[in-house]
Amino acid sequence: MTVPGRRLTQQDIAKMAGVSQTTVSLVLNKRGDAEVRIAPETRERVLRVIRETGYVADPVARRLADGRNRILGVFTYEAVFPAESVDFYHPFMVGIEECAEEIGCDLLLFTSARAASGVRRRIFNEESRVRLADGCVLLGRSVDRDDLARLLSEEIPFVSVGRRDDAGGPVSYVGADYPPAVRALVERAVALGHRRLAYVGAGEGGESRADRLRGFREGVAATGAYGLRLPAAEALTTLRAAGVTAVFVEEYADCVAIARAAKDRGLEVPGDLSILTLGALTRPVQIDIDFTGLRIPRREMGRRAVELLAEVLESGGTPQELLPCELAAGATLAPPRAEPQVTGESPLA
């Protein structure tokens, strides 16, 4: 039982229960003294409608005098707990928790929207309790656009961790500013003598991937280098055949795979092939390589997401911020051993 296209109000609950809006307010605030008596069956009817619609999943939760619970929700599109120190999401959660504690808010992790039959988690389903929180931080490598559109249409305060395109309206977010950092890496490689470069990864399927590929394209165009884009599965064979000396890799795991494949073929990193990572470690791996690349400001993004959500709750608006990525020196970028020959126009120029 929902009202499509917008957020439910007390007036909606009153109509569904066949009572006045004042009665709904009294039930929500557990009022029922000598001056205002509510029949038990009326109270139960209101509570039943509340439970069925999800207007307030816990009908006995009292709101504070300022109209807020001081509870911030965290919805994750992928399972993130337990989060080890090497887990991709751990720094985000550390930043979120630190800032929530500083501003005096509790965190509520939404876990009931479980995945089933291979379908990713969704915010809204028959068990959704997202309205228990004053607002919500969204965390995931990609976020469902239908969820974003509904959050916007129902005016539920939220901030996404990661840049998001409009979803029927502008989306509040804090993200990593990938393009300038990737351009700087390309310029650094070219300055060392690399002329044939490759981008390994999807470059699509999420705003962060598209941003990294865009930065690579811009760097190639600005430096006049020759740039290729390749899927990870065929990377090493194609790289060598194309004379590529520096490869920019979207996913950290693919950096590891390319480095291991290069070693198996007797190639040295970075002497024969420089490898630059544009991602972060997502799970523990056993490899003794300090990759050159980017440091994504994950902890800072978590903190800033909570700060922005507090601003939205206080004064509204649709804040959008990108935080700079730092360059990680690492040990996998060096001048090429031989001067590469550049022929033809770059496919990515």
Side-chain angles (χ1 to χ4, degrees):
M1 192 179 345
T2 60
V3 178
R6 65 177 175 82
R7 184 177 183 178
L8 287 171
T9 64
Q10 286 189 20
Q11 187 174 9
D12 294 323
I13 301 299
K15 289 180 180 179
M16 294 176 189
V19 299
S20 69
Q21 184 175 342
T22 300
T23 299
V24 174
S25 178
L26 292 171
V27 171
L28 287 171
N29 289 283
K30 299 173 63 177
R31 289 287 305 279
D33 50 32
E35 295 181 2
V36 182
R37 294 188 179 276
I38 302 175
E41 58 271 20
T42 300
R43 181 183 299 275
E44 179 54 33
R45 187 164 69 251
V46 172
L47 293 177
R48 184 172 64 252
V49 172
I50 288 171
R51 288 194 298 269
E52 291 174 351
T53 59
Y55 178 74
V56 175
D58 180 1
V60 302
R62 299 192 62 183
R63 300 184 70 81
L64 298 179
D66 64 359
R68 299 202 181 104
N69 290 320
R70 300 196 71 79
I71 295 175
L72 304 181
V74 180
F75 183 89
T76 64
Y77 277 85
E78 295 90 21
V80 302
F81 281 96
E84 302 178 35
S85 60
V86 294
D87 182 87
F88 178 76
Y89 290 106
H90 182 265
F92 290 116
M93 294 306 302
V94 169
I96 289 171
E97 182 181 33
E98 285 177 344
C99 191
E101 184 178 9
E102 289 173 8
I103 66 176
C105 288
D106 290 313
L107 291 177
L108 176 60
L109 180 66
F110 294 109
T111 59
S112 64
R114 57 187 178 274
S117 302
V119 179
R120 297 176 67 247
R121 297 182 181 194
R122 294 287 302 277
I123 294 176
F124 296 99
N125 62 15
E126 65 277 4
E127 299 176 333
S128 177
R129 299 176 178 87
V130 70
R131 293 184 184 86
L132 279 176
D134 298 324
C136 192
V137 173
L138 306 184
L139 185 59
R141 306 193 76 175
S142 61
V143 175
D144 188 90
R145 289 185 59 81
D146 289 339
D147 281 347
L148 292 178
R150 185 166 173 182
L151 288 167
L152 290 173
S153 67
E154 298 190 11
E155 299 181 352
I156 298 174
F158 73 96
V159 172
S160 172
V161 176
R163 186 183 73 79
R164 308 298 173 196
D165 293 324
D166 285 8
V171 174
S172 298
Y173 63 73
V174 56
D177 197 5
Y178 289 109
V182 178
R183 286 198 305 270
L185 281 177
V186 171
E187 292 168 358
R188 180 174 295 187
V190 172
L192 289 173
H194 294 277
R195 295 294 181 270
R196 296 181 74 84
L197 318 176
Y199 183 97
V200 173
E204 57 189 18
E207 290 85 350
S208 67
R209 292 176 174 175
D211 286 349
R212 282 176 277 188
L213 178 57
R214 176 161 59 89
F216 180 76
R217 290 179 185 273
E218 292 173 355
V220 166
T223 59
Y226 186 93
L228 301 173
R229 176 184 168 194
L230 303 170
E234 60 187 58
L236 189 59
T237 300
T238 307
L239 290 173
R240 299 305 296 168
V244 169
T245 59
V247 56
F248 296 72
V249 188
E250 191 175 277
E251 300 291 343
Y252 191 96
D254 291 330
C255 283
V256 175
I258 292 172
R260 286 173 172 167
K263 181 179 180 181
D264 291 342
R265 297 191 184 194
L267 302 176
E268 291 187 8
V269 177
D272 297 309
L273 180 67
S274 288
I275 302 176
L276 299 95
T277 181
L278 308 181
L281 187 66
T282 58
R283 60 184 184 275
V285 294
Q286 296 297 323
I287 189 167
D288 187 21
I289 297 179
D290 182 17
F291 286 106
T292 300
L294 304 180
R295 188 190 76 83
I296 303 170
R298 291 176 287 171
R299 185 169 179 169
E300 297 89 335
M301 289 166 64
R303 288 186 59 88
R304 191 58 182 147
V306 175
E307 292 173 347
L308 293 180
L309 181 57
E311 292 177 13
V312 170
L313 291 169
E314 182 68 26
S315 55
T318 310
Q320 297 179 340
E321 289 189 12
L322 294 175
L323 305 184
C325 296
E326 296 179 1
L327 301 187
T332 57
L333 174 63
R337 285 182 171 166
E339 183 68 22
Q341 299 299 314
V342 179
T343 60
E345 183 179 352
S346 169
L348 292 179

